[in-house]
Amino acid sequence: MRIVALLAVRNEELYLARCLEHLLTQGIEVHVIDHGSTDATAAIAREFARRGGVTVESFPYRGVYEWGRILQRKEELAARLDAGWFIHHDADEIREAPPPWRTLAEGIAAVDAEGYTAIDFAEVVFTPTGPEQSFEGRDYVAEMRHYYPFAPRPEHRVNAWKNLGVPVDLTSSGGHRVTFPGRRLYPRPFILRHYVFLSLAHLCRKYGERTFDPAELARGWHGQRAAFRPEGVRFPPREFFKVLGPEGCFDLSRPQRQHFFLVPPPAGEATAR
């Protein structure tokens, strides 16, 4: 069964090679949508395309981050590409099937065989634990061990679905929950490792330099990210984080409902620590 991850990227050179390597070893093909990257992202994608299992298209960048247009393009691709399943994917993510399945493809095939048509992912967020840490240019998946579960709402990441030959809707939920006629959600979540930023400087570049589409801001999208201020970042105490052990099992209890790095600073405080 052919499974294709739909991966939109813009200036993701820190993540892209690691993300593509993981997906290919998991038995997943990848269609990369390059949104006008100005760093090495497009070159990395083309190199993987030469190896096989990856296709690349260019998607015009019009000066602002247009998430709605990207999601609509993914909906179009899901209607056009010949695949049994699709995954709505980002470059800073690593997705896994839970035990006993060894690969993502194996897990999705088992879900398909049971008659389910969509998969939710339990999100676990990995970040540095303080401003002194940096994982840029390193194997962040192997080295970052501190995480917290993140679940602001039920069914927060329904991002994999079976191709039933019907239109799917990613846009209405901002990409969080795919909906379509015949959706039957598998009751057990898979795992989504989310490596949101690799250093404080990277976080500041990622959100501090992004220009959001005014129409999407008017819809209520990107609120905290659009309001991001570097001076407002407060790292929590180390005990806030859970630690991934060598067995690779995640503790999903007591999930956070908001990201600590997007919380506005207390009145009168303006220095990151």
Side-chain angles (χ1 to χ4, degrees):
M1 182 173 62
R2 187 183 183 210
I3 305 167
V4 175
L6 303 173
L7 178 64
V9 293
R10 175 173 168 78
N11 295 343
E12 299 284 13
E13 64 182 5
L14 292 178
Y15 293 116
L16 186 57
R18 188 67 177 82
C19 177
L20 293 176
E21 287 170 359
H22 175 77
L23 285 168
L24 293 173
T25 60
Q26 293 288 306
I28 310 298
E29 297 180 38
V30 189
H31 184 81
V32 176
I33 306 163
D34 179 53
H35 192 207
S37 293
T38 58
D39 64 0
T41 296
I44 294 169
R46 289 193 297 267
E47 174 58 30
F48 273 86
R50 284 190 284 270
R51 304 182 200 176
V54 175
T55 53
V56 184
E57 69 170 67
S58 295
F59 191 72
Y61 179 68
R62 304 192 298 191
V64 295
Y65 180 69
E66 296 178 292
W67 187 227
R69 283 184 66 233
I70 293 170
L71 293 174
Q72 290 168 6
R73 179 56 182 158
K74 290 191 177 189
E75 293 169 356
E76 294 170 358
L77 289 166
R80 181 173 64 81
L81 297 180
D82 181 19
W85 279 72
F86 292 100
I87 306 172
H88 163 52
H89 210 292
D90 289 333
D92 59 2
E93 299 171 350
I94 295 290
R95 297 181 185 243
E96 303 171 343
W101 301 307
R102 296 168 297 175
T103 66
L104 196 52
E106 186 179 296
I108 291 174
V111 167
D112 182 272
E114 291 189 41
Y116 294 95
T117 61
I119 297 171
D120 190 18
F121 289 79
E123 183 175 353
V124 289
V125 178
F126 287 81
T127 74
T129 59
E132 74 287 349
Q133 282 193 325
S134 175
F135 295 90
E136 295 190 48
R138 296 159 58 181
D139 186 350
Y140 53 89
V141 177
E143 296 185 38
M144 295 180 77
R145 312 304 295 173
H146 292 82
Y147 71 95
Y148 58 91
F150 182 67
R153 63 185 65 84
E155 299 182 11
H156 175 56
R157 286 298 200 118
V158 183
N159 291 156
W161 67 95
K162 183 173 182 175
N163 183 5
L164 296 180
V166 298
V168 301
D169 179 7
L170 280 169
T171 307
S172 295
S173 68
H176 289 288
R177 295 173 302 282
V178 65
T179 58
F180 55 92
R183 195 188 89 165
R184 187 177 177 221
L185 187 63
Y186 186 64
R188 183 183 177 194
F190 283 34
I191 293 294
L192 187 164
R193 301 188 186 206
H194 194 179
Y195 298 87
V196 185
F197 63 96
L198 304 180
S199 69
L200 178 57
H202 178 221
L203 172 65
C204 295
R205 297 195 305 270
K206 185 170 185 176
Y207 294 132
E209 299 176 4
R210 182 176 291 179
T211 302
F212 293 92
D213 181 0
E216 294 181 358
L217 293 174
R219 293 180 62 177
W221 290 10
H222 318 302
Q224 285 185 312
R225 286 169 173 79
F228 173 81
R229 296 294 180 271
E231 63 272 15
V233 177
R234 297 291 186 279
F235 284 90
R238 173 100 30 142
E239 55 267 23
F240 166 86
F241 297 94
K242 302 175 188 290
V243 182
L244 182 63
E247 70 285 352
C249 295
F250 291 98
D251 177 2
L252 301 177
S253 65
R254 303 183 303 280
Q256 300 297 311
R257 299 189 182 280
Q258 61 182 7
H259 295 299
F260 71 85
F261 50 89
L262 294 178
V263 177
E269 295 187 25
T271 304
R273 64 175 177 84

